[in-house]
Structure formats: structure tokens, C-alpha cells
Amino acid sequence: MVPLYTNNLHHEVELGVVIGKGGTSIPQAAAMEHVAGYALCLDMTARDIQDECKSKGLPWTLAKAFNTSCPVSEFIPKERIPDPGSVNLWLKVNDKLRQSGCTSQMIFSIPYLISYISDFITLEEGDLILTGTPKGVSAVQEHDELQAGIEDVVTMSFRVDRQDY
Ligand SMILES: O=C([O-])CC(=O)C(=O)O
Ligand SMILES: [Mg+2]
């Protein structure tokens, strides 16, 4: 759903990491023991609002945490993705490929992210960490059909609606 206050809503396809065992200050070497599985996620982002917040040094809450801002796939058990550092993600808008990338291109590894985040915020069972998006983000419009996938693992599709309340 496109919030009324944005004119530039972008898709960001991302691998989500589902935490199975909580912890604080988790060392990188133990980080994968805290993972229960994965999910395919869309970090829908109101880019115009985010840019405005960035320029004012404000938090991005309204850009990234509006109702329906984060569609999430079914839960994918850890065993189904033995190497999360090397999976291909893709996203199509109206059947046109917009994003395609491999998690090997990520700047920070999953163990690094878990360790870093848990130094500041205690992770709990069920927490979902979005790991960042590959290149190709672009704007969506009402009625667009989004289809996304993790190659050989899962696909999901959504239709973009406009907020009407
Ligand atoms: O929106 C941003 O600036 C960053 C972001 O979520 C991503 O790279 O996935
Ligand atoms: Mg993102």
C-alpha cells in the first residue's frame, strides 16, 4: 500500500534473517547458531520522505515503517539455505526484471550483522533482520504487480494498492 504522503515509493528486495535464539553481544563465530531460518522481504521505502529525513538528520520511521511497508515471505528453515552468503535474489515489476543480485555482494556478512546489531540491541527469538538490497531499486505505482524470489527457494508476489483512508 502506497501511503498518502509519498510520491516516490521504492521496492528493495532483501534476504531476511530470522533469529531463533536471542542474545546480547553475540560473537561472529557463534552468530549462525542464533539463526532459525530466513525469509524473503521487501523493504518498501518512501524515498522522498527518507531523503527529507536524511537532510534534516531525522529518523526514517515514516519512510520505512508505515503500514504494509515490509511484505515477508513464508518462513524458510535454515537447512534450506546452507550458504546464505551466496544466494541470488531477484525482483520483477510487471514482469520486468528490476533487481537481481547475490548475497555474496553484501558489504557485511550475516555473522557480522548479527554480532554488530546485538552489541547495541538484544536480539530475541523471532526477530527479523533485513540485510540490505542489491542495485536496481525503482519506484512503484498503484496496480503494479511485484514478484520476487530467492532463486531455487521461494517466490512471492504482491499488488501495489493506494492508501484509501
Ligand atoms: O534505504 C536505504 O537507504 C538503505 C536500505 O534500506 C538498503 O540498502 O537496503
Ligand atoms: Mg533496505
Side-chain angles (χ1 to χ4, degrees), residues 8 32 36 50 75 89 97 100 119 125 141-143 146:
N8 197 15
M32 294 311 289
Q50 184 192 32
F75 173 71
L89 308 175
L97 188 65
S100 173
D119 274 343
E125 183 182 353
Q141 315 295 335
E142 185 181 11
H143 305 316
L146 304 191

Side-chain angles (χ1 to χ4, degrees), residues 75-91:
F75 173 71
I76 303 159
K78 191 181 189 174
E79 300 71 41
R80 289 199 54 210
I81 304 186
D83 183 5
S86 179
V87 292
N88 293 313
L89 308 175
W90 56 270
L91 180 136

Side-chain angles (χ1 to χ4, degrees), residues 12 14 43 45 64 130-133:
E12 294 189 357
E14 310 198 11
D43 175 22
T45 301
K64 283 186 179 277
L130 270 63
T131 55
T133 197

Side-chain angles (χ1 to χ4, degrees), residues 9-15 40-45 71 88-102 133-141 144-151 154-160:
L9 181 66
H10 282 190
H11 54 75
E12 294 189 357
V13 67
E14 310 198 11
L15 180 67
L40 180 61
C41 306
L42 298 185
D43 175 22
M44 299 303 293
T45 301
N88 293 313
L89 308 175
W90 56 270
L91 180 136
K92 292 178 182 176
V93 180
N94 302 326
D95 278 333
K96 204 171 157 200
L97 188 65
R98 296 281 189 186
Q99 290 190 269
S100 173
C102 184
T133 197
K135 66 179 187 311
V137 299
S138 69
V140 299
Q141 315 295 335
D144 280 350
E145 299 283 346
L146 304 191
Q147 212 190 349
I150 301 174
E151 202 175 84
V154 74
T155 61
M156 64 178 180
S157 47
F158 290 91
R159 190 165 161 278
V160 179

Side-chain angles (χ1 to χ4, degrees), residues 34-53:
H34 292 257
V35 174
Y38 304 93
L40 180 61
C41 306
L42 298 185
D43 175 22
M44 299 303 293
T45 301
R47 199 69 70 196
D48 44 359
I49 306 301
Q50 184 192 32
D51 289 346
E52 204 180 316
C53 293

